[in-house]
Amino acid sequence: MFTEEEFEAAARRHMDGIFRLALNYMGSFSEAEDVTQNVLIRLYKARRPFESPEHLRYWLVRVTINESKRMLLSPWRRTESLELLEDRAALPEENRGLFKAVMELPDKYRVPIYLYYYEGYSTEELAKLLKIPGSTVRTRLRRGRERLKESLGGAENV
Amino acid sequence: MFDRDKYVDCFSRLRAPKDTLEKVRRRLGGHRLWNISRTGLIAAALVPLFVLTAMAAGLSGVFTRTLEEGEKLEGSMSVSSGNGSREEKNVSIDGASLCLSFDIQGECKKVYFRPGWLPGEEHPSYTDEEGYSNIIYGTEGNKGDILCSVTVYTGEKLKDMNYFFFGETRLLVQDEWLDWQRLEVEQSLTAGEGENRKNNFLLLFSPKHSYLLVIAGEEAAGTDMEDLERVAKELEINVTDKPTIAVKQKTDFANIGLAWG
């Protein structure tokens, strides 16, 4: 069980990561914000010990995935156009093309790419996290990369 | 070839909104505790004790979201099919500006109120022993401008429901006030023939008893926010022991407005 200070420290350390993963699932800043809040509330109420920082991080990723999937199934959704997403991301010019291309990908490609390339999970760990076979993870990573290359016009170093 | 560095650089720039943690505190019903601990008025050693108390009490919370311009609300709604039956339809709502949702904890009880003071020189007499769940009155024999409307929403009506305001809205105040979480909302609507109508709303959510009071009046009737606050201060609230009946909401969202029913 967290103390108040431990909760705040953990929330501040992990909320950007939770938000990014949720954004990859939801494709909406508003909904990613909702998911982030829900996950932090679950963390606050979690009456369980975490064995290590890695255990906590893994638990948060798992809860974020579950919370995102739950919200995706909800009939209540808040849609955001790609233009609005780009505005809200407020990225520098050099990042915008890649961000747009990534957000145009279906979430089944976007999420493994995020967890693999940003969070650094292995394909075996991703298979456990996403509850899909390792071969499917590798296929989705490959297809996601191919789609990114196509949408960016085969630009070098996509 | 996939350039991991470019990808990481791009996504590392995306951050959760700065007020995320504050919103979490508010939803946990600990907004007051948060303010107190932040200002250093309470010893750090006591904070966990207060948090435990708040959690044990199962306090509820209200959550606000201001919609982006052009953002649509999408969900399902139960509508009449014309032959007396109703069906679920997907609906997209344009023009909403402020959205409220609630984290409801614990059992929901029936709640009534009885007004002690109301705006306007003349108003109906509300003397029912048990109290009321809704009142509304106005000028010109209740056909003109609305002087005051008071409605209580029990926790059952707030669960899994998203309430929204149409038109231009300004969230003027969001704080703790008396025993409530208070929201003051100014709404501007364009009615027929371009006529602009302004409504004032005072929303009071009880984290302890999980009900929402919506007190509202039209500016054209002369009702301002101070009037609404006075109505609230002099309300007699009757939180009964009667549990409300749990019902599955037929819609995902509902409008908060001010109109003759």
Side-chain angles (χ1 to χ4, degrees):
Chain A
M1 175 89 190
F2 279 127
T3 65
E4 187 74 3
E5 289 76 19
E6 284 169 344
F7 167 72
E8 188 176 332
R12 289 196 186 283
R13 188 161 57 248
H14 292 287
M15 68 181 180
D16 289 337
I18 296 167
F19 177 78
R20 288 184 198 110
L21 176 55
L23 181 65
N24 274 283
Y25 258 105
M26 310 308 296
S28 153
F29 268 74
S30 305
E31 291 187 328
E33 189 183 351
D34 291 348
V35 169
T36 306
Q37 289 178 23
N38 292 348
V39 172
L40 292 180
I41 285 171
R42 296 260 313 259
L43 175 64
Y44 187 88
K45 292 181 174 176
R47 292 166 185 255
R48 55 171 296 171
F50 292 100
E51 294 155 14
S52 62
E54 290 72 32
H55 182 209
L56 169 62
R57 182 167 162 256
Y58 188 89
W59 184 87
L60 285 169
V61 168
R62 193 58 242 160
V63 172
T64 305
I65 290 171
N66 288 342
E67 193 59 36
S68 300
K69 284 181 175 174
R70 190 188 65 76
M71 200 170 277
L72 281 170
L73 290 173
S74 164
W76 160 260
R77 297 291 314 282
R78 303 171 69 197
T79 57
E80 282 173 14
S81 66
L82 196 54
E83 289 72 28
L84 183 59
L85 265 181
E86 286 181 87
D87 286 349
R88 296 190 72 177
L91 291 168
E93 191 61 42
E94 64 267 24
N95 293 122
R96 287 185 189 169
L98 179 59
F99 177 73
K100 185 169 181 276
V102 170
M103 296 316 288
E104 278 177 329
L105 287 176
D107 61 359
K108 69 176 180 180
Y109 299 135
R110 204 162 56 208
V111 171
I113 282 179
Y114 174 76
L115 289 170
Y116 184 81
Y117 286 106
Y118 194 95
E119 295 290 346
Y121 285 106
S122 67
T123 52
E124 289 73 25
E125 286 169 323
L126 278 190
K128 277 187 195 166
L129 273 170
L130 300 173
K131 294 182 178 166
I132 52 177
S135 56
T136 307
V137 171
R138 287 186 284 278
T139 303
R140 289 184 182 178
L141 285 171
R142 179 173 50 78
R143 287 186 182 158
R145 284 193 303 263
E146 286 169 1
R147 286 205 183 197
L148 281 177
K149 195 169 182 179
E150 276 170 31
S151 63
L152 290 166
E156 227 175 289
N157 290 337
V158 171
Chain B
M1 183 182 163
F2 185 89
D3 190 329
R4 181 182 182 159
D5 291 342
K6 274 189 181 178
Y7 178 84
V8 169
D9 177 60
C10 174
F11 274 80
S12 65
R13 294 172 190 273
L14 299 169
R15 301 281 169 90
K18 285 178 183 168
D19 58 355
T20 299
L21 204 46
E22 198 171 335
K23 284 181 176 173
V24 167
R25 296 278 177 187
R26 207 174 295 141
R27 286 179 64 189
L28 284 164
H31 187 52
R32 183 182 295 158
L33 302 176
W34 176 240
N35 282 340
I36 291 169
S37 66
R38 236 185 356 188
T39 50
L41 293 177
I42 189 166
L46 287 178
V47 171
L49 178 63
F50 273 94
V51 172
L52 282 171
T53 310
M55 285 175 69
L59 294 177
S60 306
V62 58
F63 178 43
T64 60
R65 293 178 295 196
T66 303
L67 303 187
E68 296 292 323
E69 197 176 339
E71 189 180 342
K72 289 181 180 178
L73 296 176
E74 297 196 348
S76 68
M77 202 168 213
S78 172
V79 295
S80 171
S81 58
N83 56 7
S85 62
R86 299 186 75 81
E87 58 182 298
E88 289 280 313
K89 278 199 170 174
N90 289 329
V91 197
S92 176
I93 292 180
D94 212 352
S97 51
L98 180 67
C99 200
L100 311 178
S101 53
F102 301 84
D103 184 21
I104 302 297
Q105 304 285 330
E107 195 180 18
C108 305
K109 302 286 176 61
K110 286 184 180 172
V111 180
Y112 302 100
F113 64 84
R114 201 161 50 203
W117 181 87
L118 289 167
E121 291 178 5
E122 288 185 16
H123 51 74
S125 173
Y126 297 102
T127 55
D128 190 280
E129 182 77 13
E130 190 174 47
Y132 301 82
S133 55
N134 172 244
I135 63 169
I136 182 168
Y137 69 93
T139 60
E140 300 169 37
N142 291 345
K143 289 177 186 167
D145 301 321
I146 296 170
L147 270 158
C148 189
S149 158
V150 185
T151 308
V152 61
Y153 295 72
T154 59
E156 287 297 343
K157 285 191 171 182
L158 304 175
K159 270 182 193 170
D160 303 322
M161 179 63 92
N162 299 274
Y163 287 91
F164 65 88
F165 287 88
F166 274 126
E168 284 180 30
T169 50
R170 282 204 306 151
L171 184 55
L172 303 172
V173 171
Q174 183 170 11
D175 65 0
E176 303 275 335
W177 188 64
L178 305 178
D179 290 330
W180 294 298
Q181 291 178 5
R182 170 173 67 169
L183 305 173
E184 290 188 356
V185 178
E186 196 179 76
Q187 179 188 43
S188 180
L189 286 169
T190 304
E193 298 174 0
E195 185 192 359
N196 192 263
R197 301 189 72 82
K198 285 190 177 166
N199 301 323
N200 293 312
F201 289 87
L202 173 62
L203 291 91
L204 301 169
F205 179 71
S206 166
K208 189 175 175 187
H209 299 296
S210 300
Y211 66 82
L212 174 73
L213 277 167
V214 179
I215 308 172
E218 280 190 77
E219 205 162 272
T223 306
D224 60 21
M225 212 60 88
E226 276 185 30
D227 293 326
L228 302 182
E229 285 179 359
R230 187 169 171 196
V231 172
K233 277 181 188 170
E234 300 198 22
L235 277 182
E236 190 183 318
I237 306 291
N238 175 15
V239 180
T240 71
D241 290 330
K242 300 173 194 168
T244 51
I245 300 164
V247 286
K248 167 129 179 38
Q249 307 281 12
K250 288 182 175 169
T251 63
D252 298 314
F253 43 80
N255 171 230
I256 291 181
L258 187 58
W260 296 112

